[in-house]
């Protein structure tokens, strides 16, 4: 796909509700802002955030960094994401990804939204590998149990989609949504160990054990939070009900957060993907 011009992509973002008036409920946003400010672990995304956050300061920060409605009396209905902030941050992400490509950096790529964002991440992974970057694939098969809130505990394991994009799979064989930082933490533990981890090099999967550490993480949810907390340059995406990554950016732990509705049909992200790659100076591969 040819990269759209900025004004064309802005119109597309608004029309598809990736940004602009979005379907994310305001009441859900405010609940998450309160829980993050209270330090609830599920809403920290693996980041050790300052204790000075309040529900009001989180809202003010989200107005600035995401473009949600600034009215504190708006407590019910839909919310907003400023499409110009989305575009600005997409361009900033493109610049950092482009620098990774020029330097042939080592990267990790992961998503907690495999049903919607996988094609975007896979396109970036392929383009970076084509530019000479090493895409790491540590801790494949690592498992842990979650409480789904009903029935028995369920197992989740780290798997890698084509291109080297980490995600979680259940015993049902399906990829699953997650906010958890634990999988990225497991990946980084393996990378920090003597054994290293296999990777996807420019020539394809190597299967070789190498002692390496990521220069860049491209991720969302807890995958991004854990990487940023570990001191890795981290860029990624977040919805307006996921304040932790934006707070991490405000505290200097996350480099770039692109605000968007992360639950839109995957094909609607294709123009945005092309725009990102163009600003990175990369062409689609594969």
């Amino acid at each position: 796909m040819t990269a759209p011009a900025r004004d064309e992509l802005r119109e597309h973002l608004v029309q598809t509700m990736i940004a602009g008036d979005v379907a994310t409920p305001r009441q859900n946003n405010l609940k998450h802002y309160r829980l993050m400010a209270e330090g609830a672990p599920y809403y920290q995304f693996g980041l050790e955030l300052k204790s000075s956050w309040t529900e009001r300061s989180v809202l003010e920060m989200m107005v600035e960094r995401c473009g949600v409605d600034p009215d504190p009396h708006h407590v019910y209905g839909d919310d907003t994401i400023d499409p110009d902030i989305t575009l600005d941050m997409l361009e900033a992400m493109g610049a950092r990804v482009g620098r990774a490509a020029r330097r042939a950096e080592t990267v990790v790529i992961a998503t907690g939204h495999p049903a919607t964002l996988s094609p975007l991440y896979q396109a970036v992974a392929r383009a970076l590998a084509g530019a000479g970057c090493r895409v790491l694939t540590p801790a494949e098969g690592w498992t842990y149990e979650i409480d789904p809130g009903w029935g028995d505990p369920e197992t989740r394991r780290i798997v890698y989609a084509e291109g080297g994009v980490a995600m979680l799979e259940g015993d049902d064989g399906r990829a699953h949504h997650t906010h958890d930082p634990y999988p990225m933490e497991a990946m980084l533990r393996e990378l920090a160990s003597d054994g290293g981890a296999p990777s996807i090099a420019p020539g394809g999967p190597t299967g070789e054990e190498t002692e390496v550490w990521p220069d860049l993480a491209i991720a969302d949810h807890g995958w991004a939070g854990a990487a940023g907390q570990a001191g890795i340059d981290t860029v990624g995406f977040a919805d307006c009900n996921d304040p932790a990554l934006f707070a991490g950016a405000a505290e200097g732990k996350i480099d770039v957060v692109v605000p968007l509705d992360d639950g839109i049909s995957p094909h609607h992200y294709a123009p945005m993907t092309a725009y990102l790659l163009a600003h990175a100076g990369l062409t689609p591969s594969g």
Side-chain angles (χ1 to χ4, degrees):
M1 173 179 288
T2 302
R6 180 178 168 115
D7 59 344
E8 293 172 331
L9 182 56
R10 188 185 192 283
E11 181 179 358
H12 172 77
L13 295 175
V14 172
Q15 286 181 342
T16 57
M17 299 178 70
I18 292 173
D21 293 325
V22 296
T24 311
R26 175 69 166 197
Q27 59 271 27
N28 183 257
N29 285 355
L30 296 178
K31 175 184 176 183
H32 288 198
Y33 301 171
R34 174 177 55 81
L35 290 168
M36 192 212 88
E38 291 175 354
Y42 184 78
Y43 298 93
Q44 306 300 297
F45 286 7
L47 289 160
E48 295 176 9
L49 298 170
K50 295 177 180 178
S51 61
S52 56
W53 288 104
T54 65
E55 184 175 355
R56 183 61 179 265
S57 68
V58 174
L59 174 60
E60 292 170 349
M61 178 271 295
M62 291 297 289
V63 171
E64 176 185 357
R65 293 182 173 269
C66 184
V68 299
D69 190 326
D71 182 2
H73 300 294
H74 176 201
V75 297
Y76 189 84
D78 293 333
D79 214 328
T80 58
I81 293 174
D82 187 334
D84 289 306
I85 298 178
T86 301
L87 291 163
D88 289 345
M89 293 301 99
L90 198 61
E91 291 167 9
M93 180 187 285
R96 182 61 186 89
V97 170
R99 187 159 72 250
R102 292 190 298 274
R103 295 177 177 176
E105 290 183 344
T106 298
V107 300
V108 289
I109 305 176
T111 181
H113 264 285
T116 55
L117 296 179
S118 290
L120 189 164
Y121 285 106
Q122 288 177 285
V124 174
R126 289 192 296 265
L128 284 174
C133 293
R134 183 179 291 270
V135 181
L136 300 176
T137 57
E140 184 169 15
W142 179 85
T143 63
Y144 71 113
E145 286 191 343
I146 68 156
D147 180 0
W150 63 86
D152 297 327
E154 296 181 2
T155 299
R156 297 288 184 265
R157 68 180 52 82
I158 296 175
V159 296
Y160 284 90
E162 180 271 327
V165 179
M167 58 188 66
L168 292 185
E169 181 182 80
D171 287 335
D172 55 6
R174 297 188 299 110
H176 284 264
H177 170 275
T178 185
H179 283 191
D180 292 342
Y182 316 124
M184 178 61 77
E185 291 169 352
M187 291 163 60
L188 297 180
R189 281 196 302 272
E190 181 171 300
L191 290 173
S193 71
D194 292 338
S199 63
I200 295 179
T206 66
E208 298 175 357
E209 298 290 320
T210 56
E211 293 184 32
V212 291
W213 188 252
D215 300 300
L216 176 67
I218 306 170
D220 52 52
H221 288 178
W223 302 94
Q229 184 62 39
I232 299 166
D233 283 5
T234 302
V235 298
F237 304 93
D239 207 331
C240 56
N241 64 352
D242 293 332
L245 294 188
F246 295 100
E251 294 186 12
K253 293 182 176 182
I254 305 291
D255 293 81
V256 179
V257 184
V258 179
L260 49 68
D261 188 321
D262 52 21
I264 304 299
S265 295
H267 67 278
H268 287 314
Y269 298 108
M272 194 179 76
T273 304
Y275 191 82
L276 170 63
L277 292 176
H279 276 269
L282 296 170
T283 55
S285 177

